[in-house]
């Protein structure tokens, strides 16, 4: 199963622009084995909840800041939005998943299988 880890936040304009595109992609390939987990960089739980309501996938609990910090370090996240794509074994397939998704949408390719 292909997995995506989405580092993002409500206050981030590029994130706010990418999230609906990622949701469109996700919903179009929902019949495939594809899973996303949102890792929030929001400043408070209310912002997290408001933003997460726009997402059709799973999320790390906002209060689990230690896990968020560990995941950010593990994947070398330098800024947001960052979308990391992993294969079924948990190996990184693509660190620049945002660009990949946007290219796929632009080409009309709504398949997560080609990663």
């Amino acid at each position: 199963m292909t997995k995506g880890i989405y580092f993002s936040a409500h206050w981030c304009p590029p994130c706010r622009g990418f999230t609906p595109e990622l949701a469109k992609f996700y919903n179009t390939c929902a019949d495939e084995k594809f899973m996303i987990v949102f890792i929030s960089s929001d400043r408070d739980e209310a912002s997290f909840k408001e933003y997460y309501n726009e997402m059709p996938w799973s999320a790390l609990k906002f209060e689990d800041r230690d896990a968020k910090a560990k995941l950010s370090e593990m994947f070398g996240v330098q800024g947001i939005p960052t979308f990391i794509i992993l294969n079924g074994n948990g190996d990184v397939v693509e660190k620049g998943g945002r660009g990949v998704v946007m290219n796929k949408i632009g080409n009309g390719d709504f398949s997560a299988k080609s990663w």
Side-chain angles (χ1 to χ4, degrees):
M1 172 185 292
T2 303
K3 301 169 186 84
I5 303 176
Y6 183 40
F7 296 86
S8 184
H10 182 269
W11 54 263
C12 166
C15 299
R16 302 287 298 173
F18 179 61
T19 297
E21 296 300 317
L22 183 57
K24 177 176 146 182
F25 180 82
Y26 177 83
N27 287 330
T28 303
C29 68
D31 58 328
E32 298 179 27
K33 294 186 177 191
F34 182 51
M35 174 183 147
I36 297 175
V37 177
F38 168 50
I39 311 295
S40 176
S41 292
D42 284 301
R43 297 176 178 129
D44 57 67
E45 190 160 6
S47 297
F48 160 77
K49 286 180 179 179
E50 181 182 340
Y51 190 36
Y52 181 53
N53 280 335
E54 301 173 17
M55 301 176 192
W57 45 74
S58 302
L60 179 69
K61 291 181 181 180
F62 179 79
E63 62 269 12
D64 200 348
R65 301 288 79 196
D66 287 343
K68 185 255 185 206
K70 287 177 185 173
L71 288 166
S72 293
E73 184 178 332
M74 178 188 306
F75 292 108
V77 175
Q78 299 293 315
I80 56 174
T82 295
F83 185 53
I84 309 284
I85 301 167
L86 309 171
N87 65 18
N89 295 324
D91 300 319
V92 175
V93 174
E94 181 62 59
K95 284 192 163 200
R98 177 183 175 201
V100 171
V101 168
M102 294 308 292
N103 284 336
K104 283 178 161 287
I105 290 171
N107 292 326
D109 177 5
F110 288 89
S111 174
K113 293 179 181 175
S114 59
W115 286 327

